[in-house]
Amino acid sequence: MRKSFGDAIADDLRYALKACIGEENFIDMQPNKSNNYCCGGGGGFLQSGFPEERRGYGKIKDDQIKETGATYVIAGCHNCHAQIHDLSEHFGGGYHVVHFWTILCLALGILSPKERAYLGPDLKKVNVFHDEIEVFEV
Amino acid sequence: MAETAIKLGGKRKPNLLDELREMLPQGNLNLCLTCGLCSSGCPSSSFDDMDPRKFLRMLSLGMDEEILASRWPWFCSMCQRCSRVCPMQIDIPQMIYKLRQKVPRSERPKGILHSCDAALANESLSAMGTSPEDFEWIVNDVLEETQTDQPEFKDLEAPLDKEGAHFLVNQNSREPMTEPDEMVPLWKILHQVGASWTYPKTAWAAENYCLFMADDEGWEHITRKAAEVTDKLGCKIFLNTE
């Protein structure tokens, strides 16, 4: 947001997300949009071999997420997804991290059991498309 | 007080600040008010006893050796929160990028280096080394399975090198390599809205570790190849999913 398309696209994403999950289920973290903090997954941090500093950096993001009380976080890219997933496990927040495509397909009722790897137990069985498809956990 | 004015002899040696000067507004680091807004908003402040303001002060004082020995440039995520709040518009992340370049290529963090080199070694430009053939096979395999198991999507598409498609969509290597089913929701959304799209067979990988490596040549190579295949296929919009 801060680096490319600005707050306008952040508002677009919020519009689409609220349409999927309902206005009352969306909680913005503080600060947000262009004033938000980076999660610390980008810039090569995930691959650079400094996990202590990377998680120290991400602690701010982890605190922001916990403060919302939300159980799901939408990640904007793969680096964010991997980093926030790690933060949730490392700092024990236990929140789930998903891409927006998962939530959109869930809301549309076209998300099969195989496409739910990042959903928690509370949503694994909700609105399942082709419930008969078996998933083998690895 | 000295009887006569003291004159410093010799010519000043060029230093790091001279190299970075062109990035500064009016080439003047004295524009930094040392207000510390950069540091107060930087999640990397304090690691290795460094922060953005300190970094600028050290630069200003010519402490080149200490700066170049620091691991701190690798603790920056290039998020630009510092430069956004800087009242003097000093582009600190761009300086950090240049400092990464001062590290000999082979001595930069191995994880990033290997991913950059891996991408440059295959036509997919995949940091995980996925070949175009493997990508095509995985996409088609997942597509066929989805068409069969979810008959409402028997017409689902995941085209490769489809000429004249409106959107050229790229794909992070992580999905085809480790969680291929995660590609399907995006295909479904594109299908539902009737989008005309295609993956390219080459330069499809969305990740670009050469950028993180501060390897300008590698970064440009990856970006240029993606742009070229977009033009070659006559696609109107390059949709970077990363």
Side-chain angles (χ1 to χ4, degrees):
Chain A
M1 309 296 164
R2 180 156 62 232
K3 289 169 72 169
S4 47
F5 298 107
D7 284 355
I9 202 159
D11 289 329
D12 284 350
L13 183 60
R14 280 158 178 74
Y15 171 81
L17 183 60
K18 286 175 186 173
C20 290
I21 65 169
E23 186 97 28
E24 69 281 12
N25 290 316
F26 175 71
I27 311 161
D28 228 333
M29 56 185 83
Q30 303 294 334
N32 52 54
K33 303 179 192 172
S34 288
N35 289 322
N36 210 330
Y37 288 98
C38 167
C39 67
F45 222 155
L46 271 167
Q47 294 78 21
S48 60
F50 302 112
E52 194 186 322
E53 288 79 8
R54 172 173 58 75
R55 288 180 177 135
Y57 186 117
K59 183 71 174 60
I60 294 178
K61 179 59 66 190
D62 181 68
D63 288 342
Q64 275 185 291
I65 295 167
K66 284 176 178 162
E67 195 66 33
T68 66
T71 46
Y72 283 85
V73 184
I74 312 289
C77 82
H78 288 77
N79 278 321
C80 301
H81 189 283
Q83 165 77 344
I84 300 172
H85 201 268
D86 180 68
L87 294 174
S88 175
E89 285 190 359
H90 184 79
F91 293 115
Y95 44 81
H96 304 283
V97 192
V98 292
H99 295 290
F100 180 58
W101 61 59
T102 305
I103 296 299
L104 181 49
C105 285
L106 177 64
L108 289 169
I110 54 172
L111 194 68
S112 87
K114 282 186 165 181
E115 298 145 19
R116 296 177 178 239
Y118 293 103
L119 291 182
D122 55 341
L123 290 180
K124 270 282 202 259
K125 303 283 179 197
V126 173
N127 212 11
V128 185
F129 189 62
H130 285 281
D131 208 2
E132 77 285 356
I133 296 174
E134 286 187 56
V135 182
F136 302 99
E137 301 284 344
V138 280
Chain B
M1 216 168 159
E3 295 286 311
T4 52
I6 298 169
K7 287 188 178 169
L8 299 174
K11 244 189 151 182
R12 190 175 64 82
K13 276 194 294 184
N15 60 15
L16 210 46
L17 181 56
D18 294 318
E19 287 182 48
L20 301 178
R21 200 177 293 280
E22 62 186 53
M23 292 174 201
L24 290 160
Q26 300 166 44
N28 186 358
L29 192 53
N30 293 333
L31 284 176
C32 170
L33 306 168
T34 70
C35 69
L37 273 176
C38 50
S39 296
S40 68
C42 172
S44 271
S45 283
S46 86
F47 296 147
D48 281 8
D49 203 24
M50 184 72 106
D51 62 57
R53 175 170 55 180
K54 200 167 187 174
F55 162 67
L56 289 182
R57 287 300 92 206
M58 288 168 74
L59 196 59
S60 187
L61 291 165
M63 297 170 70
D64 294 8
E65 270 179 53
E66 289 84 349
I67 290 174
L68 292 171
S70 171
R71 306 184 302 169
W72 199 73
W74 303 101
F75 302 157
C76 168
S77 74
M78 309 275 169
C79 79
Q80 298 182 358
R81 203 171 196 275
C82 54
S83 47
R84 178 178 157 82
V85 297
C86 176
M88 305 313 286
Q89 282 104 48
I90 296 172
D91 192 350
I92 303 169
Q94 191 59 31
M95 293 179 165
I96 296 292
Y97 183 89
K98 286 283 174 191
L99 279 178
R100 289 185 176 191
Q101 287 182 327
K102 301 294 278 183
V103 180
R105 197 176 186 282
S106 61
E107 290 169 28
R108 296 178 207 172
K110 291 203 165 38
I112 309 176
L113 176 63
H114 290 162
S115 292
C116 170
D117 283 347
L120 296 176
N122 66 79
E123 280 197 297
S124 306
L125 306 176
S126 162
M128 296 176 85
T130 319
S131 70
E133 294 74 25
D134 284 353
F135 179 58
E136 187 170 358
W137 189 89
I138 294 165
V139 165
N140 285 328
D141 186 55
V142 174
L143 178 67
E144 281 167 29
E145 194 178 281
T146 307
Q147 289 167 337
T148 309
D149 293 351
Q150 306 176 44
E152 293 86 343
F153 285 100
K154 65 178 179 3
D155 298 325
L156 186 70
E157 290 186 337
L160 290 133
D161 266 0
K162 182 179 167 186
E163 283 188 31
H166 189 74
F167 296 105
L168 184 119
V169 177
N170 65 9
Q171 175 71 59
N172 188 292
S173 295
R174 187 170 116 178
E175 272 96 26
M177 290 306 279
T178 65
E179 43 188 23
D181 290 319
E182 279 289 307
M183 295 190 289
V184 179
L186 180 59
W187 299 350
K188 285 179 174 174
I189 293 164
L190 292 166
H191 178 80
Q192 292 288 93
V193 300
S196 154
W197 71 283
T198 187
Y199 283 134
K201 282 186 180 178
T202 57
W204 54 263
E207 65 275 11
N208 192 337
Y209 288 90
C210 297
L211 157 65
F212 304 149
M213 265 275 286
D215 176 345
D216 280 348
E217 223 172 280
W219 177 13
E220 181 182 338
H221 174 77
I222 290 173
T223 308
R224 190 172 290 284
K225 287 288 175 190
E228 280 172 3
V229 75
T230 308
D231 287 342
K232 191 190 88 181
L233 294 172
C235 300
K236 299 283 182 295
I237 293 175
F238 172 67
L239 207 57
N240 186 5
T241 56
E242 191 44 43

